[in-house]
Amino acid sequence: MDGAYHLGKPVKIVSASEADAGDWLAMRVALWPEGSAEEHRGEIAEILRKPGETANLIARGEDGEALGFAEAALRHDYVNGCDTSPVAFLEGIYVAPEARGRGVARALVKAVEDWAVAQGCSEFASDAAVDNVVSHDMHRALGFEETQRVVYFRKVLGG
């Protein structure tokens, strides 16, 4: 998974392991602050207990510094805007602020694409909150096309 470049410097994309858990945790908390560190730690442990079911990648610079991560899974249920199954789904992607705009997200997405093709997928999907324009721009820059917008509703019953 080597070969991507970060301002002319190599970026190494590796499958996340126990050794990456500390950096992975810090980046997950930055991406999904609504979850506690303990919840993220538990999810990372669960992911590491089931190798091969998902793609969990860490981008590291020449000095070993964690620059970003991506998590992807195969979805066998219907994925909005897709026609096939399974679909590779980008569950989350994060690049440290100081590393943004330098090809790290592109390298992570390319590594996920390679994994998805190896899993037999012909479609790769993702989502973003309706108001997350920065994420929309990133997705478009990485070759994704918007398929639809959805707002979910719920009603609590029996109370």
Side-chain angles (χ1 to χ4, degrees):
M1 286 186 241
D2 296 338
Y5 290 91
H6 172 72
L7 285 182
K9 297 177 184 175
V11 170
K12 185 174 186 177
I13 307 294
V14 298
S15 292
S17 69
E18 183 64 40
D20 300 302
D23 289 332
W24 191 5
L25 173 63
M27 292 185 291
R28 273 179 136 251
V29 168
L31 179 61
W32 297 306
E34 65 280 355
S36 71
E38 194 55 40
E39 289 169 325
H40 288 297
R41 195 174 288 110
E43 290 174 5
I44 289 169
E46 183 67 24
I47 290 167
L48 291 172
R49 278 193 289 276
K50 299 177 181 179
E53 291 186 17
T54 57
N56 303 288
L57 308 171
I58 305 286
R60 294 197 175 276
E62 281 184 305
D63 59 359
E65 177 186 9
L67 303 174
F69 82 96
E71 295 180 12
L74 296 180
R75 291 200 180 177
H76 296 275
D77 54 332
Y78 173 72
V79 175
N80 292 5
C82 293
D83 298 320
T84 62
S85 181
V87 170
F89 197 89
L90 186 63
E91 303 290 349
I93 186 166
Y94 175 82
V95 175
E98 64 275 10
R100 292 179 184 164
R102 300 177 181 180
V104 177
R106 187 170 302 285
L108 285 163
V109 166
K110 175 65 171 113
V112 173
E113 290 173 0
D114 292 346
W115 170 81
V117 169
Q119 304 306 307
C121 295
S122 60
E123 291 181 290
F124 183 21
S126 184
D127 62 6
V130 171
D131 62 347
N132 191 344
V133 178
V134 172
S135 182
H136 302 175
D137 292 344
M138 180 210 66
H139 280 85
R140 280 194 272 299
L142 295 174
F144 288 89
E145 60 184 46
E146 184 175 325
T147 60
Q148 58 188 250
R149 292 187 177 222
V150 178
V151 176
Y152 294 93
F153 296 91
R154 81 175 187 131
K155 182 177 182 180
V156 177
L157 303 175

